[in-house]
Amino acid sequence: MELLHYVNSLLPTDPIVLQIEESIQRAGLPSMSVPQMIGRLLTTLVRLKGCESALEIGTFVGYSGICIARGLSHTGRLTTLEERELHANLARRHFNLAGVADKIDVVIGHAADSLKRMCEEERQFDFFFIDADKTSYPEYLIWATRLAKKGAILVADNVLAKGRAADFDNHNPTPVAIRRFNECLLHHEQWQATLLPAYDGIAIAEFSG
Ligand SMILES: C[S@@+](CC[C@H](N)C(=O)[O-])C[C@H]1O[C@@H](n2cnc3c(N)ncnc32)[C@H](O)[C@@H]1O
C-alpha cells in the first residue's frame, strides 16, 4: 500500500471536509485546501502553544481556517486574508457550518495591503499560516516578522513547490521565490525553523523576538 494512501486511510471522516469538497465541486473550483493531516497539525500547534491571535494568509474556502480556529482558546481569534470574494463568501459559509464563525474575521483584499494596514495598526499575532500566492512568500515572511509576538509560531505550506524548489535549473518565479523564502527562514536570526518534506513541504518556525 502506498504510504500516503495508508496515512490518509487512518483518518476518521471529518463532516466539514465532505461539505467543503461538495461546495468546491459545485463552484467549479480547484481543490486547494491543505490535506487533513496538515489541518490536524495546525490545530495541534495552535492548541499546544495556547495561541490567542492567529493570522492566515490565503483563506480559500476556509478549511485551514477551521483547523486553526479549532485549536484556539475560547477567547482566541483568527484573522484570515483572501483577495477573492467568492472564496471569502464560501469560507464564511463553512465557518458557520463548522461552528467557528464567531472566532474568525475574514479580510477581503490583496494580502500585502491588509498586512501593511495591520502593521500600521500595530496588530500582533502569535500564530501565522502562510498559504497564498507563492511568489509573495518572501514578502509575507517580512510582514510576519513585523507582526509577530515573541514566541509566535509560523507555518508555511507548499515550501517544496511540487519539487521545483529543489530544481536549481528552474528559474520560474514560484521556485525562485520559494527558495528565497526557505533560505531566509532557515537562516533567520529571529526565527528558529525546520522544513519537513511532508506532502508539498511544510515549514514550521518559532519567533524568538
Ligand atoms: C492554496 S489557497 C489557500 C488554501 C487554504 N489555506 C486552505 O488550506 O483551506 C490560496 C488562497 O490564497 C488566495 N490568494 C492568492 N494570492 C493572494 C493575495 N495576494 N492576497 C490575498 N489572497 C490571495 C487565493 O485566492 C486562494 O484562495
Side-chain angles (χ1 to χ4, degrees), residues 130-143:
I130 301 178
D131 192 21
D133 50 324
K134 309 307 158 195
T135 50
S136 299
Y137 271 37
E139 189 189 342
Y140 294 149
L141 176 58
I142 294 170
W143 287 115

Side-chain angles (χ1 to χ4, degrees), residues 19 21 26 84 110 117 156 163 167 175 183 193-194:
Q19 283 164 319
E21 280 170 0
R26 216 177 316 120
R84 293 189 180 214
H110 202 62
R117 200 170 49 248
D167 176 3
E183 285 153 22
T194 186

Side-chain angles (χ1 to χ4, degrees), residues 43-60:
T43 307
T44 304
L45 288 171
V46 170
R47 189 173 288 144
L48 272 178
K49 196 77 189 176
C51 295
E52 282 285 319
S53 52
L55 176 64
E56 173 178 65
I57 309 175
T59 315
F60 188 40

Side-chain angles (χ1 to χ4, degrees), residues 32-34 56 58-60 62-64 81-84 87 109-111 129 131-133 140:
M32 294 195 285
S33 310
V34 288
E56 173 178 65
T59 315
F60 188 40
Y63 178 60
S64 53
L81 312 182
E82 174 56 55
E83 67 179 357
R84 293 189 180 214
H87 296 183
H110 202 62
F129 181 48
D131 192 21
D133 50 324
Y140 294 149

Side-chain angles (χ1 to χ4, degrees), residues 46 50-56 64-80 92 95 99-107 118 123-129 149:
V46 170
C51 295
E52 282 285 319
S53 52
L55 176 64
E56 173 178 65
S64 53
I66 290 166
C67 296
I68 294 167
R70 282 174 173 165
L72 290 169
S73 70
H74 71 283
T75 52
R77 291 205 72 77
L78 165 68
T79 302
T80 181
R92 284 198 185 100
F95 294 153
V100 293
D102 59 332
K103 288 168 173 265
I104 305 181
D105 302 308
V106 184
V107 178
M118 287 189 289
R123 299 270 306 270
Q124 293 262 277
F125 296 90
D126 53 20
F127 189 86
F128 298 87
F129 181 48
K149 283 185 192 166

